[in-house]
Amino acid sequence: MKTFSIGILLLAPLIAAGAVSRNGAAAGTAGETHATAFRTASSAADQFPRQSRGGFYGAEGDEDETYSFYFSRAAYGSGGRFGRSAWATDYPDADVWITNVLRRLTGVDVAPYDHVVRLDDPKLRRFPFLYAVEVGSMGLAPAEVQGLREYLLAGGFLMVDDFWGAGQWENFEWEIGQVLPEYPIVEIPLDHEIFSSYYAIREVIQVPNVNNGIAVGMGAPGARTEECPGCSPHIFGILDDKDRLLVIINWNSDLGDAWEHAENQRYPLMYSTYAYQVAANFIIYAMTH
Amino acid sequence: MALGIWQFFLKYPPLVYEKGRIVFLSPLPGWLLLAAVVVAVVAGISYFRRGATLPLPDRLGLIALRGGLLALLLVLLLRPTLQVPVAVPQENYLGILVDDSRSMMVADGSATSRGDEILSTLNTELLAKLSEHFRLRIFRFSGDATRIETVGDLTFNGGETRIGRALDQARNELAGVPIAGLVVVSDGADQSEAELNETLISLRTSSVPVYTVGVGREAFARDVEIRRVSSPRSVLKGTSTMVDIVVAQTGYAGKTVPLIVEDQGRVVSSQDVVLPADGTPATVRVNFTAEEAGWRRFRFRVPLQDGELVTANNDRNALIEVREGRQKILYFEGEPRFEVKFLRRAVDEDEELQLVVLQRTAENKFLRLAVDDSEELADGFPITREELFQYRALVIGSVEASFFSREQMRMIVEFVNERGGSVLFLGGKRAFSEGGYAGTPLADLMPVELNERGDPGYYRELKVAPTRAGLTSAALQLDPDPAVSASIWAGLPELSTFNQLTRLKPGATALLTGSGPSVPEGQIVLASQRFGRGLALALPVQDTWIWQMHSSIPLEDQTHETFWRQIMRWMVNEVPDQMTLTTSAEPAALNQTVQISADLRDKGFQRINDALVSALIESADGTTNELPLRWTNRRDGEYEGAFVPLASGLHQIRVQAVRGDSTVASALLTLDAVEDNGEFFNAQMRSPLLRRIADETGGRFYTLSDINRLPEEVDFSGSGITRVESYDLWDMPLVFLLIIMLVGGEWGLRRLRGLP
């Protein structure tokens, strides 16, 4: 409870001021230079239309500035759900929220805007932190498998979020098995360093999507946090042979929605606070381990 | 020949004129002088009157000839005499010091050795001749001078030659007796030229001339010599180590020979070296890796070449302490960034390095990584010397200067200056000028000149390339093969910087520079400087991790790891412990005194003078001796003791410093004691040194070919008990010749002009 109240205190001014974010990513296939790679999102952003722009505000980040950290969203091939690209779920709102809140909560010099990169893009290797969602419908092309594999083995870090139930798990397990066949997926215990790298995370909470969260918050009858019957939250990981985490997997939980809807008064703040805390820990860990 | 003519006309050898002074034994009475002047004037007038018809030049010529004759006669009437102080026979002592060192066994140029030449020269009439005039005292010397009865007692087996010490000792032996001079017979291969100055001043003030006799050739016809090896005293196990070797040669210029490095007999490196021009020493840098821990004897050698005169100078040994065990480095990073992750990964597998990270994750929030216990860095960046000085090196990342208190900044300066630690300043938005470091104590530490104000908008991408110094730096060799290393550098992807730095501090070295569009000329990427006892580095880039992550870098590539491991190892390699031990000679010469010095500090690296320090010396033959080391009074924290190695081989010296009931520090040193062969290095006859000794003391330099003039020279030295001898000059054949020339000249001129 204590950590939550700290989180609320930290988030409150941000929410009160109204979160500001840049309006999407710049387009175009950038040249190979370093700077353009940092500043320009991959063509993926255009290839896959954005899911939503509603409720967002103008840009704050300076595109000419170079930052130490880019919250890079993985654009991958997939069958898609409801006619949309799965990778772009909650994009770019969740991304803009997490980047701006991270700037407030931590000393990380985060680029305060969204940033998308394709798995088969060589520029992927310039962004050692990668966020992927809805991996339950992920379907990687061979070039993407190779791109992600080399990325992770070279030192990249993948955070997986927002996929639910055994079916989606199986899909993801199969896909990631293509990428890193030599390393098994294991449950990450709460005494792992990743849970104390910034905040002290004492439990794994199931973070509901926005609708379930609001329902639970309002005490609606039959309201529940899970998206699939009886599924409980777990944090899994893939470790290399030196016990370094390459992939952190947030299963049966939706951190992205909690970031995105942090300012929604009907969405319980405790989920957003937890989601930001977990993200801060994952990112600090990825930058130091 | 010339001497013969001189002596025929002038009757006495030049030395007599040089040492003597001319006096007139019959002063002329005043009236006679007046008469002479009157006669001269009258004669002059008469010449002018009578020769009125003669042209002026003839008249002046006749006057000069006649006047000259009269003047000569006048001088002769004064009875000119040469007075010379001459040593009284058998009243004076003459010390003869013969070099008995092993370099006398060198047979340069002929079948006989230098020693044999000395024996044959001294055994002829020379010593007999000298003993007619002087009481001879013969000494043999190498390190010390020892009295011997005859030259037959010479063995030519001594260690290093110390002419200064030998002269002092011989003089002490002859204290209280009149000394005509000292004769030094040597090749001048002095191993301690520095201590000579005081001796020479003392000899000059007490008027003891030193006559030096040079033995041997000034240049060998054919020889290769390893003249010097500059190796680190200690290295970290597995570290690529560069050693500078000075190679000199004659007769093999331009030849390619292998320079071999052996670690206790096992070849660890072999490198081809093109021999430099005759007589010009060249420094060769060899690179090898010490893989075995402990004190190791490394041998650096060039194989014997055909026709080499001196065979013992082709190799040199160096004892190097190869350390193992984790060396602690503190990396303080002011903002979370990927440099931390990848730097940790790079050195993770290096068993000799422990990279402790203090990561500021938010204002006043820190993450500690790889600490030994929960106490370490619990309060953030160290605030006491003891806390900071436990580390051997410090990396300061992107953290603004205002984070540190003034005391912490001073402590970091002392960490380098006094503790001898290394510091590396990384680039970043909050580093260098941009971090507000200009004008702070830490700016003094940096090898680069900071701009007064930072430029927050400055950002450049740059291609990194080693400078000439960088190419030869061990820390920047990305491959054992220098050519491969250069090509790896050329292929590395660009990095970026927020810090515009182009000016080096005086004495600092740029090792890496960057170039690219809008990048100012000479943008520094890596610079180093020695600062007090330690090392300070600047690496003003912020993303060396690109060298690991970039898509052009293959997964198995080790460049990033190699770069950081070598930089970190360089930083900790020579960082001293609380107690450092040095010896006056390395290797030590057998049977000669060696000084052991300890520099002792407490945990805060403050020098301490009140500890009980003792050394336990385990000789090569197994005997153990305890030796107290005493505070020297000269310098704080300096303790000294001396011992004489009696067995050749490695001596283990364990030194422990105790204060009250607790041990302050302990250290181990291994010292090699060898039959000294320093004599064979630089063993050519060094006449400049011998000439200098003679010149500065009023003696003279000889070689064995003109040594027969020595007895006479010493006779006239003027030192010791002398009597004044007078030599008449009026009856010199030269006087007679002059008279004939003057008279004949006048007669001839008159005849020519038809005068009576």
Side-chain angles (χ1 to χ4, degrees), chain A residues 11 27 38 46 49 58 66 105 113 123 144 152 156 163 191 193 204 212 215 217:
Chain A
L11 286 175
F38 277 128
D46 282 343
T66 308
L105 295 182
Y113 46 79
K123 287 197 291 291
E144 289 178 314
L152 294 172
F163 71 120
D191 60 0
E193 274 183 281
V204 176
N212 288 346

Side-chain angles (χ1 to χ4, degrees), chain B residues 423-441:
Chain B
V423 66
L424 167 65
F425 295 96
L426 284 176
K429 283 181 178 173
R430 303 174 192 185
F432 299 102
S433 313
E434 286 66 27
Y437 281 89
T440 67

Side-chain angles (χ1 to χ4, degrees), chain B residues 88-167:
Chain B
V88 179
Q90 299 307 325
E91 288 290 333
N92 293 299
Y93 286 78
L94 180 68
I96 299 177
L97 293 82
V98 185
D99 191 337
D100 196 32
S101 67
R102 279 187 285 154
S103 60
M104 288 295 138
M105 298 305 282
V106 174
D108 30 1
S110 61
T112 51
S113 69
R114 294 171 180 178
D116 288 341
E117 284 184 41
I118 292 175
L119 289 179
S120 64
T121 310
L122 292 185
N123 272 336
T124 54
E125 71 275 20
L126 184 71
L127 280 188
K129 214 165 165 185
L130 284 170
S131 60
E132 283 172 15
H133 293 250
F134 305 100
R135 297 188 182 195
L136 301 184
R137 290 288 178 269
I138 304 173
F139 300 87
R140 69 170 176 217
F141 76 95
S142 47
D144 295 289
T146 317
R147 177 89 191 277
I148 52 175
E149 287 309 313
T150 68
V151 290
D153 294 338
L154 291 165
T155 58
F156 304 117
N157 194 30
E160 56 179 357
T161 307
R162 288 165 172 246
I163 296 179
R165 182 140 66 145
L167 284 169

Side-chain angles (χ1 to χ4, degrees), chain B residues 711-745:
Chain B
E712 192 177 55
E713 176 93 26
V714 188
D715 253 352
F716 292 111
S717 75
S719 299
I721 298 175
T722 57
R723 62 160 187 256
V724 176
E725 288 194 350
S726 300
Y727 297 92
D728 277 331
L729 293 176
W730 67 269
D731 56 349
M732 285 191 299
L734 182 68
V735 176
F736 183 65
L737 187 70
L738 268 176
I739 292 171
I740 288 180
M741 279 165 65
L742 289 168
V743 173

